[in-house]
Amino acid sequence: MPSDLLQAFYIGMEVVIAVSSVVGNVMVVWAVRLNRSLRDTTFCFIVSLALADIAVGALAIPLAVTVSMELRAHFYSCLIWVCTMLLLTQSSILALLAIAVDRYLRVKIPMSYRRIVTARRAGMAVGVCWLVSFVVGLMPMLGWNNLQGLRKNGSLGTDNLVVTCRFENVISMQYMVYFNFFGWVLLPLLIMLVIYVEIFYMIHKHLNKKVTASHIDPRRYYGKELKLAKSLALVLFFFAVSWLPLHIHNCITLFCPNSKSPIALMYFCILLSHGNSAVNPIIYAFRITKFRRAFRKIWEQYLLCKDPAGQLPQRGSQTGCYRQRALPQNDDDDDDV
């Protein structure tokens, strides 16, 4: 395929992904805002993930398209464009880590979960995730970049900081592989893998116990936890599948500098990573009943202007994303997850 046609195809796909990401994740935030039963700590972490995915569609993808055009720009202008994409990626993986830890605590300490995981602490966790994302993503702005390398090889004059804006021109592959990938992508993924294995082990152990005479059925509680854990583990799986190819490509670029990868492969890896932002709302719709119902009601009541008999749940008098209820009821108004 000619390079111009290939780039046009790439840009067209990026536009589709960007629109899908924004629309789908706005629906996620909207559903949590309107549906009282979706306002617990886990779904607030999901909102944080959705906000990062909205920013990917509205900001990171347009910047990625701009960088793909290889325009001439000031070094630090190009660098801040690229760093913006990096910090949004980091916020996504830290939101996934927070979700995994939250589900682990719900299964490990169900009776004291509400006392330990308060609304304030959950909000602080979201804030810390975004703060760490900014630090990790903006590290190249603090000096870990290719500026000195460009000066040494003559691509950049001492007083002239205008460069061809390409990712590998401004970002150090040592930073991308050793710090970003090994430290802040691969390690959290491995930690989350261990957490979900432990979650499934604990749930199955509780489900295999004999039911004692009690007003609370542990099978119902842990059965619902199992369904939600499977859905969130699926979100994690798609994140890994979407992002690992691009990071593996970066590893090949660093460790095999003489290898020349086809531009089509690079475009595929980038589209796969960006496509992850559009996938999560689809997973929620198919796997989590409360999201599916909320999406349907939003579509019918607000977009198609229908007036169904059952209105959307009211926001109530509480502020924020949290609705405190006694365990173990999974914060549900019904039996569905």
Side-chain angles (χ1 to χ4, degrees):
M1 184 182 293
S3 58
D4 290 345
L5 186 59
L6 183 63
Q7 187 177 39
F9 174 78
Y10 163 73
I11 293 174
M13 289 300 298
E14 287 281 42
V15 171
V16 172
I17 292 172
V19 173
S20 301
S21 299
V22 172
V23 173
N25 286 286
V26 165
M27 291 281 284
V28 171
V29 178
W30 197 350
V32 174
R33 175 64 177 164
L34 292 176
N35 195 327
R36 209 180 312 178
S37 66
L38 289 174
R39 279 182 242 156
D40 72 354
T41 52
T42 296
F43 292 107
C44 282
F45 291 130
I46 288 177
V47 167
S48 178
L49 178 60
L51 291 175
D53 288 337
I54 291 171
V56 167
L59 186 60
I61 290 179
L63 290 176
V65 170
T66 302
V67 170
S68 73
M69 295 178 180
E70 299 188 356
L71 304 174
R72 299 285 292 176
H74 192 278
F75 178 87
Y76 284 105
S77 296
C78 182
L79 189 61
I80 193 63
W81 298 345
V82 174
C83 287
T84 300
M85 295 185 278
L86 293 176
L87 73 89
L88 292 175
T89 304
Q90 196 58 51
S91 67
S92 295
I93 195 166
L94 290 179
L96 290 171
L97 181 58
I99 289 170
V101 172
D102 178 74
R103 300 321 294 182
Y104 175 81
L105 293 175
R106 283 190 67 100
V107 175
K108 183 70 173 178
I109 50 170
M111 302 310 297
S112 56
Y113 171 82
R114 284 297 178 193
R115 178 171 53 83
I116 294 174
V117 185
T118 62
R120 181 180 179 183
R121 288 173 180 171
M124 289 175 60
V126 170
V128 169
C129 287
W130 278 95
L131 179 61
V132 172
S133 301
F134 272 87
V135 172
V136 174
L138 296 179
M139 189 68 70
M141 294 295 298
L142 303 178
W144 201 345
N145 54 55
N146 275 346
L147 181 59
Q148 295 303 320
L150 291 175
R151 282 175 172 163
K152 286 180 181 178
N153 63 24
S155 301
L156 191 68
T158 304
D159 300 323
N160 182 12
L161 296 181
V162 176
V163 297
T164 299
C165 188
R166 298 173 64 232
F167 187 91
E168 57 269 28
N169 275 1
V170 295
I171 293 292
S172 166
M173 279 298 122
Q174 285 82 5
Y175 160 82
M176 283 302 302
V177 173
Y178 294 122
F179 185 73
N180 187 278
F181 178 44
F182 290 166
W184 291 98
V185 175
L186 189 59
L187 181 59
L189 283 176
L190 293 175
I191 293 173
M192 283 184 275
L193 176 62
V194 173
I195 289 175
Y196 276 108
V197 168
E198 181 66 14
I199 288 173
F200 291 130
Y201 171 76
M202 289 190 295
I203 289 176
H204 282 293
K205 185 173 69 173
H206 284 288
L207 289 176
N208 290 333
K209 286 182 178 179
K210 294 180 67 175
V211 180
T212 58
S214 172
H215 67 286
I216 293 170
D217 184 1
R219 289 182 180 274
R220 177 176 178 269
Y221 177 77
Y222 287 106
K224 294 165 73 176
E225 286 296 325
L226 179 62
K227 289 173 63 179
L228 186 54
K230 286 180 178 179
S231 300
L232 297 174
L234 188 62
V235 171
L236 175 62
F237 171 77
F238 276 105
F239 181 89
V241 170
S242 299
W243 281 99
L244 284 178
L246 185 59
H247 285 287
I248 292 172
H249 183 276
N250 291 336
C251 291
I252 295 173
T253 301
L254 176 63
F255 299 128
C256 304
N258 295 326
S259 63
K260 213 49 173 162
S261 61
I263 187 65
L265 178 61
M266 173 59 77
Y267 283 156
F268 173 78
C269 292
I270 294 173
L271 288 173
L272 191 61
S273 64
H274 291 163
N276 179 251
S277 297
V279 166
N280 291 342
I282 299 173
I283 297 175
Y284 303 150
F286 279 96
R287 296 282 306 180
I288 303 177
T289 305
K290 290 185 291 184
F291 265 119
R292 183 163 62 251
R293 289 175 177 172
F295 289 164
R296 186 184 298 120
K297 287 182 179 180
I298 289 172
W299 176 259
E300 292 176 353
Q301 185 173 344
Y302 292 95
L303 301 180
L304 297 183
C305 299
K306 292 183 179 179
D307 188 18
Q311 298 295 315
L312 276 166
Q314 297 301 311
R315 290 195 297 270
S317 60
Q318 281 189 303
T319 59
C321 297
Y322 307 98
R323 173 76 173 179
Q324 302 294 337
R325 296 188 180 184
L327 277 174
Q329 296 298 327
N330 299 74
D331 302 298
D332 294 332
D333 295 324
D334 50 54
D335 290 338
D336 297 318
V337 174

